[in-house]
Amino acid sequence: MALAGRMYWPGRYSISATSLCKCAAFGGRIGPVQIRSAEFLAKSTALVEHHGVSGHRTAETCPAKKVLLIMNVLARINSALLYPFARVIVGAQSNVQRIKTMNKKHKVIFEAPYTGQPIMLLALYQKGRLRPDLIRLVQAARQQGIYVLGVNTLKVKAPEELEGVLDCYIERPNFGRDFGSYKTGFLHFFARKWEQTCPRLLMLNDSVYYSTRGLDKFLTDMITSETEVLGSTENYEIEYHLGSFAIAMAQSVLKSERFRKYWKSYRLTDVRPLVIIRGEMKLSRVLKRCVSTPSQFKALYSSVRFLEMIKECPELQNTMIIDSRTSTLVDWPRFGVKAINNLLADRFITRRYILDDELDVSVEADIKDLNEDILIAGRDDFANYLLRNVKNKSAAFDDILNETFAAVASETFMLGSQIHQNAAVLLEIGLPIIKLDGLYRGMFNNYDILRNV
């Protein structure tokens, strides 16, 4: 989960006020700061388009590019000036919601007896009825003998219909986002002293879509693993932490006083960047202190696992080439074969004849031939492209290509929020969840969505 705001989400235009308002929007409402920033950038873009950017001239020789640079600087200044006001606005909204819900208590709608099996704690934000993919998730969990504890921030129309679907269902006031639901669930868990008999707990939320593909195996892997703390994915932004939308933990962690104290003292907020700092990132720090050794804190679909797979799996390399993220609305580096080509060219490819730099040579060529484009639609196409003008093919070519491919791909894989950066790749290697905010936050564009539906 990437942090919003000037310090934590350096977007393409660094519009921190916009980012913060977007992250703190309630019920789809967008704050006035976002609207003003968007209008400012729209005017900047319109002005540049009016001057017309064309050709390959540098900023020094192209007036339109100079205008673009100036407008980007002004946009940053505009954003920096609005940022403090944005923080005040979203902070005030959160405090208003805190006051509105201060005297409201959560309500246990129904609760089946608990008999010492693994538990799934599911944080929900569902109105009227549960999404079909959530029903599928819960049914898959119960088929594996998992006790399902659901905590909903909203209300369903007929909660009695969820009996037999969920084992325990709690509705709570709408404040605190997913970590507010996690807190309610864990406090209920501790009040019942279930940590004394629960062998393992898997915490999930509904910020992701649960695919049918690989769902049963994913639940089995998370619940039966002997790793004391196992996340689905990891995140290297700001500091290393696990994505809080899916973390499994062993009984030794659940019984830790440090872990219990964290949930008891967690302070609710509706401000998303604060939820990330106090919630996701701090929770990972607490969990690191609860495990017996550092190796007991890791992700199921980690960078290490990806690196091992990408070197040996041509099909996964095809997925990287064809289905990697293409959106340019965030500034995370994107995977492309050009980086592999450059690395290979610098290290392994040289000219057959070394010509004097001062040698005067003229070559006649059709401009059409010089501008010829090559379509790369998979690993084989890329390999043929690399070899098209090479006199000899080394026996080590495939190994060299695989290692170079893995080096470039794994570096991209680790950047940004991994669940957003690598949605198609993670789905391909077995992770059955997709973050629902990818399009809204600019990590995906329409092409990315259509390619992976």
Side-chain angles (χ1 to χ4, degrees), residues 405-440:
F405 198 113
V408 173
S410 60
E411 184 174 344
T412 306
F413 184 89
M414 295 174 64
L415 297 173
S417 167
Q418 288 187 24
I419 187 70
H420 294 100
Q421 175 81 315
N422 311 289
V425 173
L426 288 169
L427 193 64
E428 177 67 22
I429 63 178
L431 181 66
I433 60 179
I434 304 169
K435 285 290 283 185
L436 294 173
D437 63 353
L439 183 62
Y440 170 73

Side-chain angles (χ1 to χ4, degrees), residues 391-408:
K391 186 72 174 178
N392 64 313
K393 178 183 177 181
S394 169
F397 172 76
D398 285 332
D399 290 339
I400 292 172
L401 177 57
N402 287 338
E403 290 173 0
T404 308
F405 198 113
V408 173

